Amino acid sequence: MIRTALSNPYLVVVICLAITVMGFFTYTKIPADLLPQFDTSAVQIVCFYPGMPPEVMEKDIMSRLQRWTGQSVGIEHQEAKAMQGVCIVKDFFREGIPMSDAMSQVSSYAMSDMFYLPPGTIPPMVMPFDPTASVPLCLVVVSNPKMDEQELYDIAYYELRNKLQSIQGVIAPAVYGGKLRRVLAYVYPEKLEAHGLSLLDVQEALLKQNVLIPAGSIKVGLQELQIFTNANVEKWEELNNAPIKSIPGQSPVLMRDIGYVNGKAAQIQTNVVRVNGSRKAYIPIYRQPGANTISIVKQIKKQLRDIEERLKVERSEDPKMESLVLSVAMDQSLGVEQGNRSLQIAAGLGAVLAGLVVLLFLRSIRFTVIIVLAIPLAILTAIFAMYFTNDSINAMTLGGLALAIGILVDQSIVVLENIVRHAQMGKEPKEAALEGTSEVAVPMFVATATFAIVFFPVVFLSGLAKFLFTPLAVAASIAIFTSYILAITLVPAYCAKFLRKRSDSQEAASQHRSNQGAAGVIARTYKLLLQRLLSVRYLVVLAAGAAFIIAVLLMTRYMGRELFPQVDSGQISIFVRMPTGTRIEETEKRVQEIEKVIISLIGEPDPGFAVGKETNPNSNLQLLVSNIGVLMDWPAAYTPNTGSMDTFMLLQTKSKSDKPAIFQYVQQLRKQLITKFPDVEFAFDTGGMMTAALNMGEPSPIHFQIQSSNL
């Protein structure tokens, strides 16, 4: 390889240029996220039976689904939750089970179980579930001061949701907040009784008067026409004239005789969303497995304005649409981007400092350039390889690359110094490059293998540790081996071309002599210190052993142990639980009081801060979202709330350097809230996406499970 590089220097240059081009190209395509992708499959089953009590949902539906889908090959464990009219079953599979296999197995078993479920059960819906992406990437908030909650929900559900799902990698599963528009029939009990009718009679009559039945087709001449028996009313007001009961010899009893129909009514509200103190609606945005977090949010922000303009054009007949505002809140990609950027800056500073140290000791810009050049080439090669191994740019891979920077420089320095030494012996540049590189190639390979072998135990890891540290090991190992190849190809080819036998070698020799003064002082000092230490070598060994034991004792007794340190994500999640059975209206009143406590401590919400329009510089609160209760439908699968007594609150701070950290706010809030609301339970989470990913989608790392057949 060394001879080939020296014989074909232009080939080496072309390969380096190819690495640069392909590396930058794949850098623009490779996904960016906070943590590596967890490839363990999980499937979520959601089943509905409107109005069914939680106890019945658990025993007759949820437990059956667990037993049937638990027969799938590769099941590791199951989690399930039952609420009124809704149950959610999550099947977690072992490593190595593809998502397609997991989905097909669970779907087959769930559909087979339909025969045994209570009559009237809505067929279960099976969908993939990513336990490390349980926190939404952002919230798309729908606000309009001129619209009521029904109109906000209609825009979010029927207009905005479908348009958002067309964005690549986006999952927009449900709408939170707002009121669901319904056509409701109201009856007067005394009039109903006077006509000898019941509620079921009214329901059956209205259903019969509002039907659409295909009646086949008719062939007339050269045409064939479809026939429909269409008894659907065009306007809901017409239902007031629907006959409810026919009496021989008398006029039929109409709906208006016993009550009325209201087409502008709303379903009884069980979910309320408050954003900065006012009722609104929002859509949580999740990412599909393997999607690019930063890219998704950027696309949403880019297309949201177009979607808003398009909605205003499509519904231009409604003057209220001019006040419609679609905005992005609780943007998680900012933390991902900031964390990755910090690691990139740290790695870049490390490379620059390494280059300055090399320049300080070599005192040659030409030699420094070739050594420092190995750093970006090795990193770009690692990114190119990660793209084809389905890895991403994340905190772990960037950490692995930053860890390897020092090693990348060492290998090129060793080769360069040995080539210069041979040149000082009077050899031709090409000969010096060949012999100097050949002498150190094998020892350097052993050293490179030693560095890389440190990461070998990663192959024995499993679960979360494997998911976290395997990409780190892959990134670092690829960069280290690439650096070795560059050191034995690019460096000798460069030296053979630019190292001169007389001028450069003499210059290097003179520099070497000029450094003898400083180097001699260091060498003599080290020699004197070493001689003294060798004279008391047993005492040195005992002191080192004692220091090691003391360090271990201090570490085990006084240092905490954590997989990851606490993360100040600038966000706080507060889980609030009122006494069981609390009405949603009362829960909202208490939440308003809790919001006042939060605002008094952190400041008034300032949503304009995210777009550079700060209106309250003294406040450190950017956004305050309160999600009260739960809609017993699709949203139930994506919320920690289980009833009208539950609320989860999301706080987004400005993360100002002169303000307290998130953890200090949590300590103060915990004291104040528990004191002012002794009958309310509170739980706090500050980790955001990081905590959710490490806890497999759960808000806390420790769970207490109570199991019994009769609780």
Side-chain angles (χ1 to χ4, degrees):
M1 185 179 293
I2 302 172
R3 294 182 182 274
T4 303
L6 292 174
S7 303
N8 303 276
Y10 295 107
L11 176 62
V12 176
V13 174
V14 170
I15 293 175
C16 292
L17 291 175
I19 290 174
T20 304
V21 173
M22 292 187 296
F24 277 110
F25 177 75
T26 53
Y27 179 76
T28 61
K29 299 294 183 181
I30 192 170
D33 213 328
L34 185 62
L35 292 173
Q37 180 183 349
F38 191 41
D39 57 0
T40 295
S41 301
V43 179
Q44 183 171 241
I45 311 162
V46 184
C47 195
F48 302 100
Y49 197 122
M52 188 69 72
E55 295 82 3
V56 180
M57 291 294 299
E58 177 198 3
K59 294 180 180 179
D60 292 349
I61 298 179
M62 188 180 75
S63 62
R64 289 181 180 274
L65 288 174
Q66 285 185 279
R67 289 196 298 270
W68 277 76
T69 61
Q71 302 176 69
S72 303
V73 177
I75 283 282
E76 182 186 25
H77 73 280
Q78 293 178 304
E79 297 177 5
K81 179 172 66 173
M83 295 174 283
Q84 182 177 348
V86 184
C87 70
I88 300 136
V89 177
K90 297 178 181 178
D91 293 331
F92 294 83
F93 287 78
R94 296 186 180 90
E95 297 178 28
I97 304 295
M99 177 63 75
S100 57
D101 292 355
M103 284 287 296
S104 62
Q105 290 187 81
V106 174
S107 299
S108 176
Y109 282 119
M111 291 300 106
S112 300
D113 191 33
M114 272 298 299
F115 178 79
Y116 301 97
L117 298 181
T121 304
I122 298 176
M125 285 160 282
V126 182
M127 50 194 155
F129 171 67
D130 187 353
T132 63
S134 61
V135 174
L137 302 183
C138 65
L139 311 178
V140 177
V141 181
V142 183
S143 59
N144 191 329
K146 297 181 180 180
M147 290 184 175
D148 57 26
E149 289 185 90
Q150 284 186 1
E151 294 172 306
L152 292 177
Y153 184 89
D154 288 345
I155 291 176
Y157 188 82
Y158 296 107
E159 303 286 351
L160 180 59
R161 182 167 168 260
N162 292 337
K163 292 179 171 63
L164 288 175
Q165 287 183 329
S166 64
I167 300 175
Q168 183 178 1
V170 166
I171 298 177
V175 178
Y176 289 97
K179 294 181 179 180
L180 281 68
R181 187 184 302 276
R182 293 289 185 266
V183 178
L184 299 180
Y186 297 87
V187 297
Y188 300 107
E190 62 278 4
K191 293 183 179 181
L192 196 67
E193 185 177 356
H195 288 88
L197 296 170
S198 66
L199 289 176
L200 288 178
D201 295 332
V202 177
Q203 179 185 12
E204 292 176 0
L206 289 177
L207 289 175
K208 291 178 180 179
Q209 298 299 321
N210 190 37
V211 294
L212 174 63
I213 302 175
S217 62
I218 182 173
K219 295 182 179 181
V220 180
L222 300 178
Q223 293 181 327
E224 182 177 359
L225 305 176
Q226 298 296 323
I227 300 176
F228 300 95
T229 303
N230 187 359
N232 282 340
V233 297
E234 294 185 2
K235 296 182 179 180
W236 60 266
E237 292 89 345
E238 298 176 12
L239 289 173
N240 287 312
N241 299 322
I244 303 299
K245 181 179 181 181
S246 298
I247 303 176
Q250 299 182 16
S251 300
V253 179
L254 304 181
M255 180 64 204
R256 65 171 179 264
D257 298 329
I258 59 173
Y260 64 94
V261 175
N262 184 6
K264 296 182 179 180
Q267 178 177 312
I268 296 175
Q269 192 170 14
T270 59
N271 176 231
V272 175
V273 166
R274 294 170 54 86
V275 180
N276 296 333
S278 60
R279 286 192 174 192
K280 296 179 182 178
Y282 74 80
I283 301 175
I285 303 298
Y286 297 86
R287 66 172 174 83
Q288 296 176 0
N292 190 329
T293 297
I294 298 175
S295 176
I296 287 175
V297 180
K298 285 183 177 179
Q299 290 182 47
I300 289 176
K301 291 179 178 179
K302 181 180 179 181
Q303 297 190 25
L304 207 56
R305 183 174 300 177
D306 297 336
I307 293 174
E308 181 179 324
E309 294 177 356
R310 196 185 316 157
L311 289 175
K312 291 180 179 179
V313 172
E314 292 175 355
R315 302 181 60 176
S316 57
E317 71 280 356
D318 187 356
K320 297 179 182 179
M321 290 296 294
E322 292 299 325
S323 303
L324 178 66
V325 177
L326 305 179
S327 58
V328 173
M330 303 299 293
D331 185 358
Q332 300 284 346
S333 70
L334 296 177
V336 176
E337 199 168 4
Q338 182 179 0
N340 289 349
R341 189 184 303 114
S342 299
L343 282 170
Q344 291 173 356
I345 292 174
L349 287 175
V352 170
L353 293 175
L356 292 176
V357 171
V358 171
L359 179 62
L360 176 65
F361 284 94
L362 294 183
R363 297 185 181 181
S364 173
I365 296 179
R366 286 183 296 172
F367 293 156
T368 303
V369 167
I370 189 59
I371 291 175
V372 176
L373 189 62
I375 298 175
L377 289 175
I379 291 176
L380 289 174
T381 304
I383 292 175
F384 179 74
M386 287 190 298
Y387 177 79
F388 290 99
T389 56
N390 295 323
D391 285 320
S392 62
I393 298 293
N394 54 69
M396 303 306 295
T397 53
L398 288 175
L401 294 177
L403 184 68
I405 282 180
I407 303 171
L408 307 184
V409 177
D410 291 344
Q411 295 170 332
S412 298
I413 291 178
V414 171
V415 174
L416 180 62
E417 284 289 341
N418 205 41
I419 292 174
V420 171
R421 183 177 67 84
H422 278 269
Q424 291 175 356
M425 297 168 59
K427 298 179 181 179
E428 294 292 333
K430 189 172 183 179
E431 182 184 0
L434 176 61
E435 295 184 3
T437 307
S438 301
E439 284 183 355
V440 297
V442 175
M444 277 179 49
F445 178 78
V446 174
T448 302
T450 303
F451 288 132
I453 205 67
V454 173
F455 300 105
F456 181 74
V458 170
V459 301
F460 299 107
L461 297 178
S462 61
L464 186 63
K466 181 178 181 180
F467 138 70
L468 288 174
F469 296 108
T470 299
L472 182 149
V474 170
S477 299
I478 292 174
I480 291 172
F481 277 106
T482 302
S483 174
Y484 169 76
I485 295 174
L486 291 172
I488 62 174
T489 56
L490 180 60
V491 174
Y494 181 90
C495 292
K497 181 68 176 177
F498 295 101
L499 184 65
R500 294 291 177 263
K501 178 180 178 180
R502 296 182 179 179
S503 59
D504 287 350
S505 61
Q506 290 174 357
E507 179 183 356
S510 63
Q511 291 175 0
H512 178 71
R513 287 192 299 270
S514 64
N515 288 331
Q516 284 298 314
V521 172
I522 296 174
R524 287 191 295 273
T525 304
Y526 173 70
K527 181 179 180 181
L528 180 62
L529 177 63
L530 186 60
Q531 287 176 345
R532 292 183 178 181
L533 291 176
L534 288 176
S535 62
V536 289
R537 53 187 177 275
Y538 298 109
L539 183 60
V540 172
V541 173
L542 291 176
F548 174 75
I549 295 173
I550 293 173
V552 171
L553 292 175
L554 292 175
M555 181 179 67
T556 54
R557 290 190 178 185
Y558 300 103
M559 289 184 65
R561 282 177 284 183
E562 229 6 292
L563 180 62
F564 265 80
Q566 285 186 325
V567 178
D568 187 349
S569 61
Q571 299 177 359
I572 304 175
S573 298
I574 306 177
F575 303 93
V576 184
R577 172 161 289 181
M578 309 292 171
T580 302
T582 304
R583 292 180 55 172
I584 191 169
E585 294 84 1
E586 297 300 319
T587 302
E588 185 179 10
K589 292 179 182 178
R590 301 298 297 275
V591 168
Q592 291 181 18
E593 298 175 6
I594 296 172
E595 289 178 349
K596 292 179 181 178
V597 175
I598 295 172
I599 292 174
S600 65
L601 176 63
I602 307 178
E604 291 286 342
D606 192 359
F609 178 81
V611 293
K613 298 179 180 179
E614 186 177 13
T615 58
N616 193 352
N618 295 325
S619 171
N620 195 31
L621 183 61
Q622 179 180 338
L623 195 70
L624 175 59
V625 179
S626 300
N627 193 318
I628 306 167
V630 57
L631 177 63
M632 297 305 176
D633 205 305
W634 271 105
Y638 297 91
T639 176
N641 296 345
T642 58
S644 59
M645 67 284 186
D646 289 345
T647 301
F648 69 89
M649 307 178 70
L650 305 175
L651 283 68
Q652 175 73 60
T653 67
K654 299 178 182 178
S655 300
K656 290 188 173 182
S657 57
D658 58 336
K659 298 291 184 179
I662 286 295
F663 313 110
Q664 297 176 1
Y665 280 135
V666 169
Q667 292 177 357
Q668 298 177 34
L669 284 173
R670 182 179 282 113
K671 293 179 181 178
Q672 294 185 21
L673 293 177
I674 292 177
T675 302
K676 294 184 178 181
F677 307 97
D679 60 331
V680 180
E681 300 177 11
F682 295 95
F684 298 84
D685 176 34
T686 60
M689 289 183 65
M690 177 72 78
T691 300
L694 296 179
N695 296 337
M696 302 300 292
E698 299 296 335
S700 59
I702 301 176
H703 285 189
F704 292 93
Q705 294 185 359
I706 303 175
Q707 297 181 351
S708 173
S709 59
N710 185 19
L711 286 176

